[in-house]
Amino acid sequence: MTTTAPALTHATLQAADPILEIKNLSVDYGFGDDPTHVLQDVSLTLNRGEVLGLAGESGCGKSTLAYGATRLLPPPGVIRGGEVIFTGRDGVKTDILTLNDKDLRTARWRDFAIVFQGAMNSLNPVHRVGTQLIDAIKAHDKTATKQEARERAAYVLEMVGINADRLKAYPHQLSGGMRQRVMIAMALVLEPELLIMDEPTTALDVVMQRQILEEITDLRDRLGFSVIFITHDVSLLVEVADRIAIMYAGEIVEAADAKDAYLRPRHPYTKGLLNSFPPLRGPRRELQGIPGSPPDMAQLPNGCRFADRCPFVMDRCRTEDPALSRTALKMSEPERLVACHLHDGKASEVPAELALQAPQK
Ligand code: SF4
């Protein structure tokens, strides 16, 4: 159990009512003398009732951050340091990293639940959907009778837009979108305060993706839980997230209000990522990939990790690692953190496309 936190080495956006505070989380892959440092001192705060989107290319560390914070990292992932403070509705603070196994198992369903990547394929094919939901409820709520568990299973299924009749269905009798909704229902059976969703719609078509995203935000509005939504598709996040954090090579490089970051990205990587995906709404635009590939995490370069791919690279980017810090903001602008030398006040000129601009009316 927690409490006093050490001084942060990275800035975090001001949290009005934090439900989850990840502080200086460090994760290695490998147990030997020379492990790979995949996350170093990463800090991030999620506010109560907020949908926070985590985006970045494959391998940037976004799933590692979420699984590390909830102690679900498979080997060879090892947590090397940090704190993950969960604050319940009752105001009690808990450091997830120090929970014993029994308390962690309880917290995993009651306080936070996870919808894993490809979860829709993890339903047991030989059991009816209802049986699997009822088993999940009874495994984590010993006081629930079979009738109560059945009623709750029907309720959560209807909540995610599936008729309760389908409790009798086997997974193969449901479409991919419905199976994914069943997994979301499974995560919600104990009404957790925090839902972590790792690429929950990746395997679905665009129409189904949008339907599920709308349901998630609708459920959040009705039930008041908080969400960490992980995806490589940053355009998708703008549809669903209140705030986004962009990760690159194991670091957060930009954290901002989602719509503001979409309209006015300030980190060159955020801009590149936005240009790489078609928008879900609005006119089509030409897509431009980001040239090159992320650095090898076992042999990180000095200075900025994005330097080899950045169109605005300067000499000092090759030697000085930019810190994640607040940009100089006008009072009217939403708060924003950026890790880029273009925005630390020392650059002679900020490219117009990344410069702070007044919001368009
Ligand atoms: Fe580009 Fe330099 Fe900013 Fe890194 S610090 S993103 S290399 S301008």
Side-chain angles (χ1 to χ4, degrees):
M1 307 294 284
T2 30
T3 201
T4 348
L8 302 188
T9 57
H10 286 64
T12 50
L13 283 173
Q14 195 63 46
D17 180 14
I19 181 170
L20 193 75
E21 297 162 276
I22 300 172
K23 302 180 177 185
N24 305 99
L25 186 66
S26 295
V27 173
D28 289 352
Y29 279 168
F31 302 97
D33 294 337
D34 193 19
T36 303
H37 306 304
V38 288
L39 293 183
Q40 274 183 284
D41 291 327
V42 174
S43 297
L44 188 66
T45 298
L46 172 71
N47 294 321
R48 198 171 301 280
E50 180 179 54
V51 178
L52 172 72
L54 261 184
E57 290 163 289
S58 297
C60 69
K62 51 195 191 300
S63 297
T64 301
L65 178 60
Y67 294 170
T70 47
R71 289 187 38 205
L72 281 164
L73 263 185
V78 185
I79 295 169
R80 290 295 178 209
E83 285 184 309
V84 180
I85 311 297
F86 177 87
T87 306
R89 285 194 189 103
D90 53 9
V92 173
K93 290 181 182 289
T94 305
D95 183 352
I96 293 172
L97 300 190
T98 63
L99 286 175
N100 63 36
D101 288 351
K102 180 169 169 286
D103 290 344
L104 182 61
R105 272 197 302 278
T106 307
R108 264 199 200 127
W109 284 78
R110 189 201 57 200
D111 295 338
F112 56 89
I114 298 166
V115 179
F116 292 98
Q117 231 175 85
M120 63 186 183
N121 299 321
S122 54
L123 283 166
N124 189 326
V126 300
H127 290 301
R128 295 178 198 273
V129 163
T131 308
Q132 298 186 55
L133 280 166
I134 291 165
D135 285 352
I137 293 165
K138 288 189 67 63
H140 298 280
D141 182 356
K142 304 289 181 209
T143 64
T145 64
K146 190 146 189 196
Q147 181 57 24
E148 285 168 345
R150 190 186 309 279
E151 283 169 12
R152 205 187 303 172
Y155 177 71
V156 288
L157 209 57
E158 297 232 328
M159 224 163 48
V160 297
I162 300 179
N163 194 297
D165 290 354
R166 307 314 293 266
L167 283 172
K168 296 191 197 113
Y170 287 95
H172 73 269
Q173 295 173 311
L174 303 178
S175 67
M178 285 173 114
R179 291 204 303 277
Q180 192 62 347
R181 286 196 176 98
V182 170
M183 294 311 294
I184 295 169
M186 188 91 79
L188 292 175
V189 285
L190 293 191
E191 299 180 12
E193 296 186 45
L194 165 62
L195 189 60
I196 295 172
M197 312 189 85
D198 188 6
E199 307 265 10
T201 60
T202 301
L204 305 173
D205 64 55
V206 174
V207 175
M208 188 57 67
Q209 282 187 9
R210 180 176 288 173
Q211 273 181 16
I212 291 187
L213 292 182
E214 283 169 358
E215 271 157 22
I216 292 165
T217 43
D218 182 50
L219 286 170
R220 183 277 305 263
D221 293 345
R222 282 161 52 200
L223 304 178
F225 54 77
S226 314
V227 182
I228 294 179
F229 191 101
I230 301 168
T231 178
H232 62 281
D233 182 347
V234 71
S235 298
L236 199 64
L237 281 188
V238 178
E239 297 279 315
V240 70
D242 302 308
R243 206 154 51 89
I244 59 175
I246 306 293
M247 291 193 72
Y248 184 76
E251 293 181 330
I252 292 172
V253 295
E254 183 155 13
D257 171 89
K259 300 237 167 4
D260 193 48
Y262 180 73
L263 293 172
R264 291 173 289 279
R266 302 205 75 199
H267 194 286
Y269 180 62
T270 310
K271 184 161 184 66
L273 210 53
L274 281 166
N275 286 341
S276 308
F277 289 95
L280 281 185
R281 295 174 202 270
R284 289 188 186 181
R285 55 175 159 72
E286 195 181 335
L287 303 185
Q288 298 160 0
I290 305 172
S293 47
D296 178 353
M297 292 302 291
Q299 291 179 319
L300 287 169
N302 290 326
C304 175
R305 297 177 182 187
F306 189 57
D308 281 347
R309 305 172 77 189
C310 180
F312 309 108
V313 60
M314 303 171 281
D315 285 347
R316 70 190 177 103
C317 302
R318 302 279 183 194
T319 52
E320 292 173 44
D321 192 4
L324 184 65
S325 38
R326 284 165 211 278
T327 50
L329 290 166
K330 296 173 186 166
M331 290 303 285
S332 58
E333 294 279 338
E335 200 168 37
R336 179 175 312 215
L337 301 174
V338 182
C340 172
H341 292 313
L342 288 171
H343 300 292
D344 64 5
K346 294 184 200 155
S348 55
E349 196 179 335
V350 179
E353 61 199 286
L354 298 173
L356 194 65
Q357 295 156 15
Q360 310 196 339
K361 303 270 176 192

